[in-house]
């Protein structure tokens, strides 16, 4: 299985500011994803992070609001830009795909509160 | 991507009892995965069952898959208070990301 770490684990931010969340995997993976889980809701896919090219965003999510980087096969960042209280959520990094497994694994999440 | 639908939405049982959760999906799959989420935390991968498998065990967990009915079930035997969590199924039909439904909220009462 993959071991995934996320930084920060939680943060409290002021509206109008931006926060960058880091995701580090202990092994090379083919695919990396970012999800959001708003309070009391299920997980919603934000985007697929593509190495060396622009991320693929799901409907309702745009690059200006959630810029994503993936410089290599083990690391990705998600930035939540110009935050508002509606962005208060848990943000989860997820990975899939290597020679050894088909499962999709999740990081511990970043709990974001926007005041 | 396709989304699984878990049933029931909520389940409350006594410690020591068995808990059964069901998942239905709409189109053909390569595999189906079950996850657990404790409150406010990340998803823990429980088990993956492939489309050519009918049953799989892991400790106190038993997962079945019926591709003709497009359904799966997760059985937790001899439940414990620590099993209290939300459980999600995630069917996967191709190389697309997993999409999640609302899950089943399991409460195990000591």
């Amino acid at each position: 299985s993959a071991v995934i770490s996320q930084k920060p684990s939680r943060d409290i931010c002021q509206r109008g500011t931006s926060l960058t969340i880091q995701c580090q995997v202990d092994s090379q993976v083919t695919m990396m994803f970012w999800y959001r889980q708003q309070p009391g809701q299920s997980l919603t896919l934000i985007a697929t992070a593509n190495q060396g090219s622009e991320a693929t965003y799901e409907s309702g999510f745009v690059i200006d609001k959630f810029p994503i980087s993936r410089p290599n096969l083990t690391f990705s960042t998600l930035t939540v830009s110009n935050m508002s209280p509606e962005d208060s959520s848990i943000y989860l990094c997820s990975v899939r795909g290597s020679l050894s497994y088909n499962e999709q694994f999740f990081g511990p999440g970043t709990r974001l509160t926007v005041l | 991507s396709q989304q699984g639908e878990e049933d029931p939405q909520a389940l409350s049982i006594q410690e020591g009892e068995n808990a059964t959760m069901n998942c239905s999906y709409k189109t053909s799959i390569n595999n189906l995965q079950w996850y657990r989420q404790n409150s406010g935390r990340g998803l823990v991968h429980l088990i993956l069952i492939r489309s050519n498998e009918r049953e799989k065990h892991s400790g106190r967990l038993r997962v079945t898959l019926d591709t003709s009915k497009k359904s799966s079930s997760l059985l937790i035997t001899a439940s414990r208070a620590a099993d209290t969590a939300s459980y999600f199924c995630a069917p996967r039909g191709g190389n697309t990301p997993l999409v999640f439904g609302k899950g089943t909220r399991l409460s195990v009462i000591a």
Side-chain angles (χ1 to χ4, degrees):
Chain A
S1 66
V3 177
I4 306 167
S5 61
Q6 286 185 231
K7 290 181 181 179
S9 59
R10 58 176 60 221
D11 208 342
I12 300 173
C13 301
Q14 297 296 320
R15 69 170 68 210
T17 63
S18 298
L19 176 72
T20 295
I21 302 167
Q22 298 180 0
C23 176
Q24 179 74 54
V25 193
D26 67 340
S27 58
Q28 293 185 344
V29 293
T30 305
M31 305 187 81
M32 296 183 78
F33 311 101
W34 287 97
Y35 289 79
R36 178 177 75 180
Q37 187 175 31
Q38 294 176 299
Q41 303 297 314
S42 184
L43 281 76
T44 301
L45 179 66
I46 298 172
T48 301
N50 300 310
Q51 189 206 0
S53 63
E54 192 172 288
T56 304
Y57 290 85
E58 298 298 305
S59 176
F61 297 96
V62 295
I63 188 171
D64 289 347
K65 176 66 176 176
F66 297 101
I68 288 171
S69 77
R70 190 179 172 192
N72 56 50
L73 294 176
T74 63
F75 185 79
S76 178
T77 67
L78 168 74
T79 298
V80 186
S81 302
N82 188 24
M83 289 183 286
S84 67
E86 292 70 36
D87 294 319
S88 297
S89 298
I90 299 173
Y91 292 86
L92 296 121
C93 172
S94 181
V95 305
R96 189 174 81 212
S98 77
L99 294 176
S100 57
Y101 58 85
N102 290 312
E103 292 87 344
Q104 184 167 327
F105 296 102
F106 285 79
T110 295
R111 181 184 288 274
L112 171 62
T113 301
V114 184
L115 302 177
Chain B
S1 303
Q2 69 166 310
Q3 177 178 308
E5 289 190 21
E6 296 89 354
D7 176 70
Q9 289 192 11
L11 179 61
S12 184
I13 60 173
Q14 297 288 327
E15 203 166 33
E17 294 181 338
N18 296 342
T20 299
M21 289 157 268
N22 302 298
C23 170
S24 60
Y25 57 91
K26 291 191 166 65
T27 61
S28 62
I29 60 172
N30 294 332
N31 62 58
L32 186 143
Q33 300 174 67
W34 283 92
Y35 293 85
R36 182 186 75 228
Q37 185 181 34
N38 295 87
S39 180
R41 302 195 179 178
L43 270 67
V44 174
H45 188 274
L46 295 177
I47 201 162
L48 179 151
I49 186 166
R50 291 181 172 79
S51 60
N52 61 354
E53 297 175 311
R54 291 296 167 258
E55 188 170 310
K56 205 162 180 180
H57 295 254
S58 177
R60 293 184 296 112
L61 306 180
R62 172 178 164 246
V63 168
T64 63
L65 179 65
D66 187 335
T67 53
S68 67
K69 295 181 179 178
K70 294 186 172 56
S71 67
S72 175
S73 68
L74 170 66
L75 168 68
I76 304 174
T77 60
S79 62
R80 305 166 181 169
D83 294 327
T84 294
S86 291
Y87 292 82
F88 298 91
C89 71
R92 181 179 158 204
N95 205 28
T96 52
L98 298 182
V99 177
F100 292 87
K102 296 180 180 179
T104 293
R105 292 187 309 278
L106 173 65
S107 298
V108 181
I109 303 166

